[in-house]
């Protein structure tokens, strides 16, 4: 198993550009998450999904969009990039079942610099 | 929503000493508390977790304690080694929250040989 994979590893964007951060998992996890980590800070939840076709906002969703058309993939879309979106983005997944909480596994991250 | 406070922000110890990191949470319904270790430039990796139905959990040199009444939980690392140097994050969530984690701000642990 590759686990959780993310592409690209690093990207530089100009202000106003758009891009899609890719995330995929091969563990058949139904729950998937996007977090951002600013320098010296903890992780903050951007969006999450509990299954294909079901997504919802997290703590810091402004400026982002997501979709979940398959169980495996959970891309994060940045529209009109701003310097405040400079961060490291982590995708995570877990097996969700009712009220059970399972371990979240993180991808290697995408480092984004907006200039 | 949940709020997690983590202290200290930095911790420096000598090899072989113990290290303790403490987190407090605000949501009394939170019932799952994981600890993640993040090495420089790497992804967070789970090192230990605890659920609200137990007060303590150990895994070799690492232990976590939970005080539900006071709403705080702590990570204890004994016999620290240089390879324990990393950033440690606590987090909290409740079982009705689809596993959405609220993280603390992180503790930079440095173990000096």
């Amino acid at each position: 198993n590759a686990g959780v994979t993310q592409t690209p590893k690093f990207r530089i964007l100009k202000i106003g550009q758009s891009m899609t951060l890719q995330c995929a998992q091969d563990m058949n996890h139904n729950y998937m998450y996007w977090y951002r980590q600013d320098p010296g800070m903890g992780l903050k939840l951007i969006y999450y999904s509990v299954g294909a076709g079901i997504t919802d906002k997290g703590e810091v969703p402004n400026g982002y969009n997501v979709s979940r058309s398959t169980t495996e993939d959970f891309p994060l879309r940045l529209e009109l990039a701003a310097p405040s979106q400079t961060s490291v983005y982590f995708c995570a997944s877990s097996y969700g079942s009712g009220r059970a909480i399972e371990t979240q596994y993180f991808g290697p991250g995408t480092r984004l610099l907006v200039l | 929503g949940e709020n997690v406070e983590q202290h200290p922000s930095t911790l420096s110890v000598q090899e072989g000493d113990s290290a303790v990191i403490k987190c407090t949470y605000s949501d009394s319904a939170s019932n799952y508390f994981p600890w993640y270790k993040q090495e420089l430039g790497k992804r967070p990796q789970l090192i230990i977790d605890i659920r609200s139905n137990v007060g303590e959990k150990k895994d070799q040199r690492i232990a976590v304690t939970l005080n539900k009444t006071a709403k705080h939980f702590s990570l204890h690392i004994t016999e620290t080694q240089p390879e324990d140097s990393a950033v440690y994050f606590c987090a909290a969530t409740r079982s009705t929250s689809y596993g959405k984690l609220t993280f603390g701000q992180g503790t930079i642990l440095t173990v000096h040989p």
Side-chain angles (χ1 to χ4, degrees):
Chain A
N1 284 356
V4 181
T5 58
Q6 292 183 240
T7 56
K9 290 183 179 179
F10 176 66
R11 181 79 180 266
I12 298 175
L13 279 183
K14 293 183 179 179
I15 294 172
Q17 287 185 321
S18 300
M19 76 166 293
T20 299
L21 283 67
Q22 301 293 343
C23 173
Q25 53 87 14
D26 62 358
M27 297 176 282
N28 202 29
H29 286 168
N30 48 343
Y31 289 4
M32 295 187 75
Y33 312 86
W34 274 105
Y35 295 91
R36 61 175 285 173
Q37 183 178 31
D38 297 333
M41 301 293 288
L43 288 80
K44 293 188 183 296
L45 182 67
I46 305 171
Y47 270 95
Y48 70 101
S49 170
V50 299
I54 306 170
T55 63
D56 205 352
K57 297 177 181 178
E59 183 182 356
V60 289
N62 291 345
Y64 308 94
N65 274 302
V66 294
S67 60
R68 183 100 181 267
S69 57
T70 67
T71 300
E72 295 77 19
D73 300 297
F74 189 39
L76 177 72
R77 178 80 177 166
L78 277 73
E79 303 283 1
L80 300 175
S84 61
Q85 293 179 304
T86 293
S87 191
V88 180
Y89 292 83
F90 288 100
C91 179
S93 73
S94 68
Y95 177 71
S97 174
R99 291 172 178 257
I101 302 174
E102 302 296 337
T103 302
Q104 280 189 32
Y105 296 91
F106 284 79
T110 293
R111 187 173 300 272
L112 177 66
L113 180 61
V114 181
L115 299 174
Chain B
E2 175 66 279
N3 183 54
V4 178
E5 296 287 334
Q6 182 173 346
H7 299 281
S9 56
T10 61
L11 181 58
S12 183
V13 300
Q14 290 296 126
E15 183 176 1
D17 288 350
S18 295
V20 181
I21 303 170
K22 183 175 177 178
C23 289
T24 59
Y25 60 99
S26 61
D27 185 355
S28 57
S30 287
N31 56 0
Y32 177 67
F33 308 93
W35 285 90
Y36 285 85
K37 176 183 180 182
Q38 186 178 32
E39 297 176 347
L40 189 63
K42 304 291 187 181
R43 74 189 78 188
Q45 294 202 303
L46 180 75
I47 55 171
I48 196 167
D49 57 13
I50 191 167
R51 299 175 192 270
S52 60
N53 58 344
V54 298
E56 183 175 4
K57 183 177 179 180
K58 288 184 179 180
D59 183 2
Q60 299 183 336
R61 297 186 296 109
I62 294 173
V64 57
T65 58
L66 172 64
N67 184 326
K68 288 187 292 184
T69 302
K71 291 191 286 187
H72 68 70
F73 57 110
S74 299
L75 177 70
H76 305 254
I77 306 174
T78 59
E79 300 172 18
T80 55
Q81 300 167 3
E83 50 265 39
D84 293 329
S85 296
V87 182
Y88 291 81
F89 292 97
C90 63
T93 188
R94 54 161 75 181
S95 55
T96 55
S97 191
Y98 302 108
K100 295 181 293 180
L101 293 173
T102 299
F103 283 86
Q105 299 90 332
T107 296
I108 301 172
L109 173 64
T110 304
V111 181
H112 299 281

